[in-house]
Amino acid sequence: MLEFVFAQETATGGGGLTTIIFLGLMVVVFYFFIIRPQRNRQKTQQELSASLEVGHEIRTIGGIQGRILQIEDDSIVIQVEEGKLRIARRAVGTRMDVNGDEV
Protein backbone atom coordinates (compact mmCIF):
# COMPACT_ATOMS: atom_id res chain seq x y z
CA MET A 1 0.00 0.00 0.00
CA LEU A 2 2.81 2.43 0.91
CA GLU A 3 4.63 1.66 -2.35
CA PHE A 4 1.45 2.53 -4.28
CA VAL A 5 1.30 5.99 -2.66
CA PHE A 6 4.94 6.76 -3.51
CA ALA A 7 4.47 5.57 -7.08
CA GLN A 8 1.42 7.78 -7.49
CA GLU A 9 3.27 10.87 -6.16
CA THR A 10 6.14 10.46 -8.61
CA ALA A 11 3.77 9.82 -11.51
CA THR A 12 2.07 13.22 -11.02
CA GLY A 13 5.33 15.19 -11.33
CA GLY A 14 5.65 18.42 -13.31
CA GLY A 15 3.76 20.41 -10.71
CA GLY A 16 6.58 22.95 -10.54
CA LEU A 17 6.08 24.14 -14.10
CA THR A 18 2.33 24.30 -13.65
CA THR A 19 2.75 26.38 -10.51
CA ILE A 20 5.08 28.84 -12.27
CA ILE A 21 2.66 29.23 -15.18
CA PHE A 22 -0.24 29.74 -12.77
CA LEU A 23 1.68 32.41 -10.82
CA GLY A 24 2.62 34.15 -14.08
CA LEU A 25 -1.01 34.25 -15.15
CA MET A 26 -2.01 35.65 -11.75
CA VAL A 27 0.53 38.48 -12.13
CA VAL A 28 -0.86 39.32 -15.59
CA VAL A 29 -4.44 39.33 -14.31
CA PHE A 30 -3.43 41.44 -11.30
CA TYR A 31 -1.76 43.97 -13.62
CA PHE A 32 -4.71 44.34 -16.01
CA PHE A 33 -7.45 44.42 -13.38
CA ILE A 34 -5.79 46.42 -10.58
CA ILE A 35 -2.56 48.23 -11.47
CA ARG A 36 -3.45 49.54 -14.94
CA PRO A 37 -6.88 51.00 -14.02
CA GLN A 38 -5.36 52.65 -10.93
CA ARG A 39 -2.72 54.35 -13.08
CA ASN A 40 -5.42 55.62 -15.43
CA ARG A 41 -7.41 57.05 -12.49
CA GLN A 42 -4.29 58.78 -11.14
CA LYS A 43 -3.53 60.29 -14.54
CA THR A 44 -7.11 61.56 -14.89
CA GLN A 45 -7.02 63.08 -11.39
CA GLN A 46 -3.71 64.84 -12.09
CA GLU A 47 -5.07 66.27 -15.36
CA LEU A 48 -8.18 67.54 -13.55
CA SER A 49 -6.11 69.13 -10.80
CA ALA A 50 -3.83 70.84 -13.32
CA SER A 51 -6.76 72.21 -15.36
CA LEU A 52 -8.53 73.96 -12.47
CA GLU A 53 -8.88 77.74 -12.68
CA VAL A 54 -10.44 80.46 -10.54
CA GLY A 55 -14.17 80.61 -11.21
CA HIS A 56 -14.66 76.93 -12.02
CA GLU A 57 -17.52 75.14 -10.31
CA ILE A 58 -16.33 71.93 -8.64
CA ARG A 59 -17.59 69.02 -6.55
CA THR A 60 -15.26 67.46 -3.98
CA ILE A 61 -14.92 63.74 -3.44
CA GLY A 62 -17.02 64.29 -0.31
CA GLY A 63 -19.87 65.85 -2.32
CA ILE A 64 -19.36 69.53 -1.42
CA GLN A 65 -20.05 71.87 -4.34
CA GLY A 66 -18.55 75.31 -4.72
CA ARG A 67 -16.82 77.87 -6.92
CA ILE A 68 -13.03 78.25 -6.85
CA LEU A 69 -11.94 81.59 -5.39
CA GLN A 70 -8.22 81.02 -4.92
CA ILE A 71 -5.71 78.38 -6.01
CA GLU A 72 -2.47 77.70 -4.17
CA ASP A 73 0.18 74.98 -4.58
CA ASP A 74 -1.64 72.17 -2.79
CA SER A 75 -4.90 73.75 -1.64
CA ILE A 76 -7.93 75.54 -3.05
CA VAL A 77 -10.31 78.03 -1.45
CA ILE A 78 -13.90 77.54 -2.60
CA GLN A 79 -17.04 79.62 -2.07
CA VAL A 80 -19.95 77.56 -0.76
CA GLU A 81 -23.49 78.73 0.08
CA GLU A 82 -22.61 80.56 3.28
CA GLY A 83 -18.88 80.86 3.50
CA LYS A 84 -15.53 79.70 2.25
CA LEU A 85 -13.68 76.41 2.60
CA ARG A 86 -10.04 75.54 2.07
CA ILE A 87 -9.66 72.05 0.63
CA ALA A 88 -6.76 69.98 -0.64
CA ARG A 89 -6.32 70.08 -4.40
CA ARG A 90 -6.46 66.30 -4.54
CA ALA A 91 -9.92 66.37 -2.90
CA VAL A 92 -11.54 67.76 -6.07
CA GLY A 93 -13.66 65.01 -7.56
CA THR A 94 -15.16 66.63 -10.67
CA ARG A 95 -15.50 69.94 -12.42
CA MET A 96 -19.04 71.13 -13.12
CA ASP A 97 -20.38 73.21 -16.00
CA VAL A 98 -22.86 76.07 -15.64
CA ASN A 99 -25.81 73.63 -15.69
CA GLY A 100 -24.38 71.61 -12.80
CA ASP A 101 -23.38 68.67 -15.02
CA GLU A 102 -19.97 67.02 -14.81
CA VAL A 103 -17.39 68.12 -17.38
Side-chain angles (χ1 to χ4, degrees), residues 21-79:
I21 291 172
F22 180 73
L23 288 175
L25 287 173
M26 291 301 292
V27 168
V28 169
V29 168
F30 187 75
Y31 174 78
F32 279 106
F33 286 108
I34 296 177
I35 296 173
R36 190 168 175 217
Q38 179 62 28
R39 284 185 183 170
N40 290 341
R41 282 190 295 270
Q42 285 176 340
K43 182 180 177 186
T44 303
Q45 180 64 27
Q46 288 172 349
E47 289 172 355
L48 172 66
S49 180
S51 72
L52 294 176
E53 296 177 3
V54 173
H56 282 165
E57 292 277 334
I58 61 161
R59 180 183 303 146
T60 67
I61 56 176
I64 298 171
Q65 293 182 346
R67 181 180 308 271
I68 298 176
L69 296 177
Q70 181 181 4
I71 298 177
E72 296 179 8
D73 290 336
D74 60 345
S75 66
I76 296 174
V77 176
I78 61 171
Q79 175 72 42

